[in-house]
Amino acid sequence: MSRHPFVGRAGAVIAVMTLALATPAAASDLDSGRLRDSSGLRDSGGLHDSEWALTALKAERAWKFSKGAGVTVAVIGTGVDASHPDLRGRVVRGKDFAGGTGGYGTRDGGKAAEQSTHAAGIIVGTGRNYRGDGVYGLAPKAKVMPLGVYRDGKPLADPTAKAIRHAVAHGARVIDLAVTSLRPTPALRSAVKYAVGKDAVIVAGAGDNGKIGNRPTYPAALPGVVAVVATDKKGAVWTSSHHGGKTLLAAPGVAILTTSGNNDYWTGDGTGFAAPWVAAGAALLRSEHPRWNANQVVQKLIDTADRKGSAGHDPRYGYGVIAPAEALADRAAPPASAELSAPRRHPSATPDAAAPRTEDDESALVTIGVVAGVLVVLAILAVVLISRRRPPDNSHRG
């Protein structure tokens, strides 16, 4: 038997306390790769497992900073099916400007491959369908405003111009233009210029005619519009993407799984599937930095994009593939008055220490501190109690 039984007991207590306090930190580490949120954004199987774009864009890291709350994204196109389970509660009242969908734009009258419901799912999908196994968007707490501009299966330029003005007048801070045409009307040019002047971020697919003449498409080619090209799972530009000097950014746009009309889902390719990711990324930044103007938001997406191809602006990738998690982690505000330009610095130059600590990081530090404190206190108690139990010195007895 030990001469000082408290030493053994103290060691056991320390071991038990250390294990008990360290276990939550270990569990936190195991859960760090999962989606956890009271709103339903959690680890799920089913459809969510097929959303490769969310993984490529590091959505879970981005959501530690922002999920787009308080930002409305206008989706201008065929109307949005507001009854879809993954979109319920995320679609605000819109308007139909072409007599195609009627009502408030909350029905989608487009062809299967052209529906604006696809864009809405990419932007604000909640994943609530199938008990949490549905489709998620990149900005799941933002809202979309559906504005219809299609008639007889075709987008109309002048109704598109009216829709742009309506979006700005009704509080949309980001506009996703799910329309393309070969010729812009004066009204469309004027509306885009007006929206830019009113501090809206305007996004559109660069076009899907890269193999058939590569002619510019509108409104993507108009000044002030962020023209987006599509990339595949390997990061290569989709072969049919329009390319040239007007392209600004790239985003996933091949084999994109998203919502569709009639409570269904759709997998599609094209720059129209890429642009909503950029619109959603802009929504995340506008939510996190409400005082930044539109140019600052777009410049941050440029500065932190994953550079591809040639240095600076590349005719196929633009300034690179958006990296919303990096854009949110880089807190430095671009100059408010500057025009859009080449990347001001490569994201690799941003020190990791500059990124704000997340809740998980802070919890881990607190746990480590508590464990260390408990160990010190128990060690002191052990020393004190052991010294008190030390046998008396008999060397001076007669």
Side-chain angles (χ1 to χ4, degrees), residues 28 36 64 356-366:
S28 177
R36 306 182 305 280
K64 292 181 179 180
R357 292 174 180 169
T358 65
E359 293 179 1
D360 288 343
D361 295 334
E362 293 176 354
S363 298
L365 290 174
V366 170

Side-chain angles (χ1 to χ4, degrees), residues 172-388:
R173 305 191 68 200
V174 181
I175 300 174
D176 176 55
L177 290 162
V179 297
T180 57
S181 64
L182 295 178
R183 295 180 182 84
T185 64
L188 182 59
R189 289 181 181 274
S190 176
V192 168
K193 184 177 180 180
Y194 170 79
V196 170
K198 292 295 184 179
D199 196 40
V201 176
I202 311 172
V203 183
D208 299 347
N209 57 5
K211 285 184 175 181
I212 50 174
N214 197 46
R215 289 183 61 184
T217 59
Y218 298 90
L222 291 175
V225 178
V226 179
V228 183
V229 299
T231 56
D232 61 20
K233 293 181 181 180
K234 295 182 179 180
V237 173
W238 185 48
T239 54
S240 292
S241 280
H242 174 81
H243 50 272
K246 296 292 185 179
T247 60
L248 197 68
L249 288 165
V254 177
I256 301 300
L257 173 66
T258 184
T259 51
S260 183
N262 299 319
N263 298 344
D264 208 346
Y265 296 90
W266 184 265
T267 299
D269 307 332
T271 61
F273 288 85
W277 295 113
V278 177
L284 295 180
L285 284 170
R286 302 221 83 162
S287 176
E288 182 69 5
H289 302 287
R291 295 185 179 181
W292 285 12
N293 63 35
N295 272 13
Q296 288 177 295
V297 169
V298 177
Q299 187 66 55
K300 180 60 66 175
L301 291 174
I302 291 173
D303 289 347
T304 55
D306 183 10
R307 216 70 61 229
K308 302 285 187 180
S310 59
H313 185 276
D314 182 86
R316 297 195 68 86
Y317 286 93
Y319 288 118
V321 180
I322 63 163
E326 284 74 9
L328 288 161
D330 186 350
R331 311 292 292 178
S337 59
E339 295 296 323
L340 294 180
S341 64
R344 299 174 187 276
R345 56 177 174 152
H346 196 278
S348 62
T350 304
D352 292 339
R357 292 174 180 169
T358 65
E359 293 179 1
D360 288 343
D361 295 334
E362 293 176 354
S363 298
L365 290 174
V366 170
T367 301
I368 292 171
V370 171
V371 171
V374 169
L375 291 175
V376 171
V377 171
L378 290 176
I380 293 172
L381 287 173
V383 171
V384 171
L385 292 173
I386 291 170
S387 63
R388 288 181 177 179

Side-chain angles (χ1 to χ4, degrees), residues 85-169:
D86 287 335
L87 300 178
R88 288 175 187 163
R90 294 292 181 266
V91 183
V92 302
R93 179 171 173 170
K95 188 174 180 179
D96 177 60
F97 288 88
T101 63
Y104 303 120
T106 53
R107 296 193 300 272
D108 196 330
K111 297 177 181 178
E114 298 175 342
Q115 293 180 356
S116 292
T117 303
H118 303 332
I122 292 169
I123 299 169
V124 299
T126 64
R128 291 174 180 161
N129 204 12
Y130 303 120
R131 297 183 179 180
D133 288 345
V135 161
Y136 291 91
L138 182 58
K141 287 192 175 180
K143 299 290 182 68
V144 294
M145 177 190 297
L147 302 174
V149 297
Y150 270 68
R151 182 186 297 165
D152 298 329
K154 295 181 180 179
L156 305 181
D158 286 349
T160 300
K162 293 177 181 178
I164 292 172
R165 291 179 178 273
H166 177 92
V168 173

